[in-house]
Amino acid sequence: MKSVGVLAVVPARGGSKGLPGKNIRPLAGVPLIGHSILMARQCTGITRAVVSTDAPEIAAVARTFGADVIDRPGTLSEDQTPMWPVIRHALAHTEALDQREYEFVLLLDPTSPGRLPSDIDEALARLQATPAADGIIGVSQPTFNPIWHCVVERDGFMANLVDAGAAFGRRQDVPPVYRINASLYIWRAAFVRREENDWRTVGQYVMHEIPEVRAIHIDEPADFTHAELLIKEGLVHLPWLDQRKGGETR
């Protein structure tokens, strides 16, 4: 089979206990999962995008936005199911269906709607230019530096989480720290096929940094309110919303 392009996978399990129905709850007038689908449609670097779900209601919403849907097996839809086997299943299923192999696999978590098409294009270009890397991961600099600020309790007293942090006299001198923010994950498809264990335990990765303000991750009702405010005030601009205002249909 010939290798082609980028397969984007949007995973959306239906059984969220923390915030039931969050994947189809509206954000700025669009169901949450719709943001990832609309972003993928604007991204020229994506060859094919699929939604992996076990929930008929999510599948129905995804299809209204023009997405192809993969029925996720119940064994991959449990509360404790890791993401890695879900990605591997989506890749294997789609490649078998399409009768072709993909070069890269992109994970678009629907609960992280702040990434832009330019993020995908730039991250993919960097991964392609770094042959030694198995993938590229979206990160951002948190508003506080864990080396400098974070402490733990040891034997009843405060202690530094990172012992080396005490050696710095000024916050400005502390090395920058990045956090994985779930905005994007791109792996070489060959790596996904080969590795059965979670990606964090193997492989080498480069980072794609986005501004912390766009590192939105939605788990609770307050996260929706926060994201709505960022969008309303223009601090986060999602270009696919402009097209919808201009009369684009689903």
Side-chain angles (χ1 to χ4, degrees), residues 1-7 47-48 91-92 94-105 188-190 193:
M1 291 188 290
K2 182 180 179 181
S3 295
V4 295
V6 180
L7 173 66
T47 308
R48 179 139 147 72
L91 175 63
T94 306
E95 288 186 332
L97 185 65
D98 294 351
Q99 286 297 292
R100 62 184 184 183
E101 292 185 336
Y102 289 88
E103 296 177 87
F104 302 95
V105 181
R188 299 186 190 278
R193 295 187 205 100

Side-chain angles (χ1 to χ4, degrees), residues 199-222:
W199 65 274
R200 290 289 296 273
T201 63
V202 291
Q204 297 189 104
Y205 307 96
V206 288
M207 300 187 296
H208 174 76
E209 184 180 1
I210 71 170
E212 179 71 2
V213 70
R214 285 201 288 109
I216 301 167
H217 193 71
I218 294 178
D219 281 324
E220 302 176 354

Side-chain angles (χ1 to χ4, degrees), residues 37-56:
I37 297 170
L38 292 172
M39 192 286 303
R41 289 173 57 183
Q42 287 196 354
C43 186
T44 57
I46 294 176
T47 308
R48 179 139 147 72
V50 298
V51 172
S52 171
T53 186
D54 63 322

Side-chain angles (χ1 to χ4, degrees), residues 52-248:
S52 171
T53 186
D54 63 322
E57 62 273 19
I58 293 176
V61 171
R63 289 189 177 103
T64 66
F65 285 88
D68 294 324
V69 176
I70 292 175
D71 291 327
R72 191 190 305 185
T75 54
L76 296 179
S77 303
E78 304 292 337
D79 289 342
Q80 304 304 319
T81 300
M83 184 59 68
W84 190 243
V86 174
I87 298 302
R88 282 169 49 84
H89 170 265
L91 175 63
H93 179 93
T94 306
E95 288 186 332
L97 185 65
D98 294 351
Q99 286 297 292
R100 62 184 184 183
E101 292 185 336
Y102 289 88
E103 296 177 87
F104 302 95
V105 181
L106 163 65
L107 167 60
L108 296 176
D109 189 332
T111 59
S112 297
R115 94 278 283 178
L116 301 176
S118 58
D119 291 313
I120 307 302
D121 292 338
E122 291 168 14
L124 184 60
R126 185 173 182 195
L127 179 55
Q128 290 174 314
T130 314
D134 296 299
I136 185 165
I137 311 301
V139 301
S140 53
Q141 292 192 45
T143 54
F144 66 91
N145 190 314
I147 294 176
W148 178 258
H149 290 96
C150 287
V151 295
V152 295
E153 185 179 25
R154 293 176 186 156
D155 300 324
F157 294 95
M158 185 179 78
N160 293 310
L161 174 65
V162 180
D163 291 337
F168 296 96
R170 300 189 314 150
R171 173 180 55 81
Q172 293 86 347
D173 297 330
V174 183
V177 173
Y178 304 88
R179 70 178 185 92
I180 297 174
N181 56 34
S183 59
L184 63 89
Y185 307 76
I186 308 176
W187 299 278
R188 299 186 190 278
F191 175 80
V192 178
R193 295 187 205 100
R194 181 178 72 245
E195 296 297 338
E196 296 183 3
N197 297 319
D198 186 77
W199 65 274
R200 290 289 296 273
T201 63
V202 291
Q204 297 189 104
Y205 307 96
V206 288
M207 300 187 296
H208 174 76
E209 184 180 1
I210 71 170
E212 179 71 2
V213 70
R214 285 201 288 109
I216 301 167
H217 193 71
I218 294 178
D219 281 324
E220 302 176 354
D223 298 328
F224 272 98
T225 302
H226 181 236
E228 290 271 7
L229 183 61
L230 290 174
I231 295 168
K232 180 180 179 181
E233 295 299 321
L235 297 173
V236 170
H237 176 236
L238 305 179
W240 48 91
L241 294 181
D242 297 336
Q243 291 189 352
R244 290 179 64 80
K245 291 176 182 177
E248 183 192 72

